[in-house]
Amino acid sequence: MTTGTGACPRCGATPVSLDGALPWCAGCDWNLDTYDARRQAPEFGWSCIDRRTHRLAARLTRQQYAALAGRSLQSAGPGLTGLLVTGISVLLLLGVAGLAVAGVWLLFAYPFPNLAVVGGVALIALAVALRPRFGRIDRDLEVLTEQEAPELHALVREVASAVGAAMPHVIGVDGDINAYATAVGLRRRRVLGLGLPLWGALDGPARVALLGRTPRCSPPTRRPACGTGCSARGPGRIRPSRSPRTGPRGSTPSWRGTTSGRAGR
């Protein structure tokens, strides 16, 4: 981080910048939400629309922060949005099941050969394409057992208890600049994935904040209908682009034994 020149027009503090980005004020957040076309990839391709959506996203982020800043860490329940998402997911699953039933009915309702058979096969194929994907553990995720990383598991358990989240069944690391929580398999086993580059760049309090936020931002871990319903759209997951690995697959010794990343160290 570099210190800029001049003074903030809002509070008079000295602006700062990071890696050549537009300067902003660390005291009052002046200029922090300004759209920087040089560093941000276009969303829609038109600069006027990208600027407006960027300002809208920044305003919504500030409003959400203000709403959450003074709220208890304990979950307040699904709320209206959660119930709406659950209802849409259930309808989506029922729709996929209806396609399969209609396809099977068309296959046997009319004598063969018949054009209805073509429609039945098409409906079954569509139902198969839209079927829920229960997912599996990422093959790039190196699973760490509690015996291998006892302090990491203890930290995750402590943070999960504090924020009212369920303890993950599986904790692992990979080479992504990312962290995510998801649920996989028919039994919906909870998985917490931590990217080593991201974890290594954070200090103790930031690691605790990351652990407290990640499990609570993963709807599939709380509502199976939402997870399977959304997975019917396709097997992909929204994740940042993969970064080059920092070393060979086995080069994660700092997570082993007693050096597994206790936040205070």
Side-chain angles (χ1 to χ4, degrees):
M1 183 175 293
T2 58
T3 303
T5 58
C8 170
R10 184 182 299 171
C11 68
T14 302
V16 295
S17 180
L18 182 65
D19 295 334
L22 294 175
W24 76 92
C25 179
C28 65
D29 292 342
W30 169 81
N31 210 37
L32 185 61
D33 58 353
T34 301
Y35 178 76
D36 190 353
R38 301 170 305 167
R39 300 170 60 88
Q40 293 181 246
E43 296 287 345
F44 296 95
W46 293 282
S47 59
C48 58
I49 298 180
D50 288 335
R51 292 179 186 277
R52 289 180 180 274
T53 55
H54 181 81
R55 287 196 296 268
L56 175 62
R59 183 168 67 252
L60 293 176
T61 299
R62 288 194 297 268
Q63 292 175 357
Q64 185 179 35
Y65 174 79
L68 297 177
R71 200 177 72 176
S72 172
L73 292 176
Q74 299 298 327
S75 175
L80 179 60
T81 302
L83 295 176
L84 180 62
V85 171
T86 302
I88 294 175
S89 300
V90 171
L91 290 177
L92 178 59
L93 294 175
L94 292 176
V96 174
L99 289 174
V101 171
V104 173
W105 179 79
L106 287 176
L107 288 180
F108 297 98
Y110 301 95
F112 184 84
N114 194 292
L115 289 178
V117 175
V118 178
V121 172
L123 290 179
I124 294 175
L126 182 59
V128 171
L130 295 176
R131 73 191 186 281
R133 276 76 164 180
F134 294 100
R136 62 183 63 183
I137 296 177
D138 194 330
R139 63 177 181 272
D140 292 327
L141 187 71
E142 184 174 356
V143 177
L144 298 176
T145 66
E146 190 164 3
Q147 291 72 27
E148 293 174 319
E151 292 194 3
L152 175 62
H153 278 258
L155 176 62
V156 173
R157 185 177 296 105
E158 181 180 351
V159 174
S161 175
V163 301
M167 178 67 182
H169 297 103
V170 177
I171 300 176
V173 296
D174 58 21
D176 289 354
I177 306 177
N178 187 30
Y180 65 91
T182 186
V184 300
L186 188 61
R187 295 186 298 167
R188 314 310 295 158
R189 300 179 68 221
R190 295 180 296 274
V191 178
L192 174 64
L194 301 172
L196 286 176
L198 175 62
W199 185 267
L202 301 177
D203 59 8
R207 291 179 178 181
V208 173
L210 177 68
L211 292 178
R213 174 188 180 277
T214 303
R216 293 167 63 85
C217 295
S218 178
T221 63
R222 299 193 298 268
R223 304 182 190 95
C226 297
T228 54
C230 292
S231 68
R233 298 174 301 175
R237 287 188 294 173
I238 300 175
R239 293 178 60 184
S241 58
R242 186 174 299 278
S243 60
R245 287 196 176 274
T246 55
R249 183 161 179 77
S251 59
T252 57
S254 61
W255 288 82
R256 308 296 183 182
T258 58
T259 57
S260 57
R262 170 69 71 172
R265 298 184 181 180

